[in-house]
Amino acid sequence: MRTIFKHTICALLLLAVTITAHAQSAFKVPPYQKFTLPNGLTVYLMEQHEIPLISVSAVLPAGAIYDGDKHGLASLTAAGLQYGTKSFTKNQIEEELDFVGADLNSYATKEYASLSAKFAAKNTDKVLAIVSEVLTAPTFPAVEFDKEKERVLARLDQAKQSPRQVINAYWDNFIYGAHVYSNSTSGSPATVGKLTAADLKAFYNNNYIPQRSAIAVVGDFKAADMKQKLTRYFGKWNNKGAAQISVPATVTAPTEARVLLVNKEDARETTFLIGGLGIKRDNPDYVAIDVVNTLFGARFTSMLNDELRVNSGLTYGARSSFNPLKNSGTFYISTFTATKTTEAAIDKALEVLNRLHEKGLDEKSLTSAKNYVKGLFPPKYETSGQLADLLTQMFWYGFTESYINDFQANVDKLDLARSKEIIAKYFPKDKLQFVLVGKSADIKKISEKYGKVTEKQIKADGF
């Protein structure tokens, strides 16, 4: 009896392993259709019938890089899409969507604006009628804009109380310099304070153009029916826009180590970033870089967190990140520490970075990182909303479904020799850039140890 039980358990374990291995190896982008409407709008349709829900994701060339000197304009315009349309007031939009339990969000990033919606399949026509007007016929009423501007100004005023909320805006401005990637998405009190509803309308007319935009619909529908609906709702959208600025394809790399010291007089700790230029989103080594960075600083048991948090007790958390964009990107180590341990924390972070370059990875840690990355990957693309977002990200950044379909294989083929090449090529260790937010009187001398120092006051407008 015991032998039969033992064999049964073994058989079940073998079956479980087989299923898991099959599930991982079989993880592919589900079939989808892609076509272009006569007005130039790219459309993706992916049927997913397990749950009677539909998700919509749209991406448009209307990010902060097109703000000019009106920083914050793209963000306010994206939010303002929901202030009202030719057929619906703001209250009507909210009430109609609340009544059917639908979600609608719109926002701007540094490069693009985005709209997403989620709703029950039975409410498709009702919700698509609203979504299409929000995207193609917003009116930007001044009354609603004035209310939103006051809320944004209040948030901007509060944001600089927390260095962790604003340090990335200082970082982008410091790293990208004259490039439009230095534009902050949020803007500043001085720039936002000057914006009007007319500015939003002009920004919309210039940048919300179907020719360079895409919409993805994923969920419980028949593709032929949805194609007819989208043609009806979006086919007459013919905004030609204005000629957009040409975004420089390259970013000038730093020629020397530099420090931006942002003085916050009442700070009792120092928040800092260390790094340099990173990668574009369509980098062919993206997967390998992700695996190495997972081990270096992207998971809780990373080299950085172990050394700075667990072994040294210098911080409550340290990590490393790549922030890839279409034409460039940055890499940085980020953490915070008490003012009196600023130098020790920076030195320790640099020590871990140097160790990564000098000693590389070992077989055990690389295997652990590969398993960790593979385990987290499928859950990122389980829901209709995640899949709709994936399709619009593929459109915007120009990568194909091979990123998904070949992910497991690309992770598995990363070996120690290749990881060494990845570290040398993509993890900057020379001419490092530093952004420190803390009490200048206590840390300026320390800052000078790492490079040429430029100082700003956190109370000054902008970044």
Side-chain angles (χ1 to χ4, degrees):
M1 186 67 173
R2 181 176 293 176
T3 302
I4 294 173
F5 177 76
K6 193 173 177 181
H7 287 169
T8 302
I9 292 297
C10 288
L12 289 172
L13 287 174
L14 180 61
L15 179 62
V17 169
T18 303
I19 290 173
T20 302
H22 176 72
Q24 289 187 349
S25 63
F27 185 65
K28 306 287 183 184
V29 176
Y32 64 89
Q33 293 185 23
K34 178 183 178 183
F35 55 90
T36 304
L37 296 180
N39 61 7
L41 179 66
T42 299
V43 179
Y44 295 84
L45 299 178
M46 180 188 287
E47 295 187 28
Q48 294 279 288
H49 299 289
E50 292 83 359
I51 301 174
L53 289 175
I54 291 177
S55 292
V56 175
S57 176
V59 62
L60 309 106
I65 56 177
Y66 303 109
D67 275 347
D69 59 358
K70 297 181 178 180
H71 298 168
L73 179 55
S75 179
L76 270 164
T77 303
L81 295 175
Q82 300 182 57
Y83 297 166
T85 72
K86 66 178 184 180
S87 305
F88 303 95
T89 65
K90 182 174 183 290
N91 286 341
Q92 287 172 330
I93 291 172
E94 293 171 350
E95 289 172 2
E96 294 282 341
L97 295 177
D98 283 351
F99 189 73
V100 297
D103 289 334
L104 175 63
N105 294 293
S106 53
Y107 60 89
T109 69
K110 191 178 291 292
E111 292 187 306
Y112 59 81
S114 181
L115 178 145
S116 63
K118 184 172 67 175
F119 48 89
K122 63 182 180 182
N123 299 315
T124 298
D125 283 307
K126 186 181 186 68
V127 178
L128 277 184
I130 296 173
V131 169
S132 66
E133 282 218 0
V134 165
L135 198 56
T136 66
T139 52
F140 303 108
V143 173
E144 298 298 342
F145 166 74
D146 289 340
K147 293 178 189 173
E148 179 65 14
K149 187 167 84 169
E150 290 305 312
R151 287 191 286 268
V152 171
L153 287 172
R155 285 200 297 270
L156 288 172
D157 187 50
Q158 293 171 357
K160 288 195 173 182
Q161 297 301 315
S162 172
R164 275 169 254 174
Q165 283 193 41
V166 295
I167 193 169
N168 285 89
Y170 283 104
W171 172 260
D172 281 357
N173 190 276
F174 190 53
I175 292 290
Y176 289 123
H179 194 281
V180 289
Y181 281 163
S182 69
N183 291 1
S184 74
T185 306
S186 65
S188 72
T191 59
V192 170
K194 296 176 183 174
L195 297 179
T196 66
D199 289 322
L200 273 63
K201 191 170 293 185
F203 186 86
Y204 175 86
N205 289 335
N206 289 337
N207 300 291
Y208 281 70
I209 48 180
Q211 291 88 344
R212 293 180 55 201
S213 303
I215 187 166
V217 185
V218 177
D220 188 21
F221 57 81
K222 295 293 185 185
D225 292 341
M226 185 57 73
K227 184 174 182 178
Q228 288 184 351
K229 293 180 191 296
L230 294 181
T231 302
R232 183 166 79 248
Y233 286 119
F234 295 96
K236 295 179 181 177
W237 181 26
N238 279 312
N239 182 18
K240 301 297 182 186
Q244 293 188 311
I245 63 163
S246 178
V247 178
T250 57
V251 174
T252 303
T255 57
E256 60 180 342
R258 298 183 304 155
V259 180
L260 174 63
L261 175 57
V262 182
N263 180 38
K264 188 173 186 298
E265 282 295 333
D266 60 350
R268 289 185 291 181
E269 63 183 26
T270 302
T271 305
F272 64 84
L273 303 183
I274 305 171
L277 289 180
I279 58 170
K280 299 193 295 183
R281 177 59 185 84
D282 64 350
N283 189 300
D285 293 325
Y286 186 87
V287 173
I289 294 167
D290 186 33
V291 174
V292 175
N293 189 52
T294 293
L295 196 58
F296 178 59
R299 69 178 183 181
F300 190 74
T301 56
S302 69
M303 296 165 64
L304 275 173
N305 207 45
D306 274 355
E307 198 59 44
L308 273 80
R309 182 182 188 277
V310 180
N311 298 337
S312 305
L314 291 166
T315 180
Y316 289 109
R319 61 182 294 109
S320 61
S321 307
F322 282 86
N323 185 19
L325 298 168
K326 185 179 281 189
N327 295 320
S328 185
T330 62
F331 160 80
Y332 54 78
I333 296 167
S334 60
T335 190
F336 56 95
T337 190
T339 300
K340 63 182 180 182
T341 55
T342 297
E343 185 174 12
I346 294 175
D347 285 348
K348 185 60 70 175
L350 295 175
E351 177 187 314
V352 179
L353 179 60
N354 286 332
R355 192 193 316 156
L356 178 74
H357 279 271
E358 291 170 2
K359 296 187 176 180
L361 311 180
D362 58 56
E363 195 67 56
K364 183 180 178 182
S365 60
L366 179 59
T367 300
S368 171
K370 289 160 70 172
N371 289 339
Y372 181 88
V373 169
K374 287 191 293 184
L376 285 182
F377 190 70
K380 292 179 180 178
Y381 304 104
E382 285 182 333
T383 69
S384 58
Q386 290 168 329
L387 289 167
D389 185 59
L390 169 65
L391 293 172
T392 49
Q393 292 290 294
M394 286 165 52
F395 170 84
W396 185 259
Y397 289 113
F399 62 92
T400 69
E401 57 261 44
S402 65
Y403 166 67
I404 300 290
N405 297 346
D406 300 335
F407 183 85
Q408 308 280 355
N410 285 334
V411 171
D412 286 335
K413 72 182 182 185
L414 179 64
D415 58 19
L416 290 178
R418 182 61 182 144
S419 71
K420 193 172 183 180
E421 295 172 0
I422 294 293
I423 292 166
K425 186 173 182 179
Y426 296 112
F427 287 75
K429 69 179 181 67
D430 299 317
K431 299 173 185 174
L432 288 171
Q433 310 297 294
F434 300 74
V435 174
L436 284 65
V437 183
K439 188 173 182 179
S440 177
D442 292 340
I443 60 175
K444 186 169 183 179
K445 282 293 181 186
I446 296 170
S447 305
E448 292 170 350
K449 172 180 170 183
Y450 303 105
K452 180 181 176 183
V453 177
T454 301
E455 190 170 348
K456 288 186 176 182
Q457 302 297 318
I458 200 166
K459 290 183 178 178
D461 188 74
F463 303 101

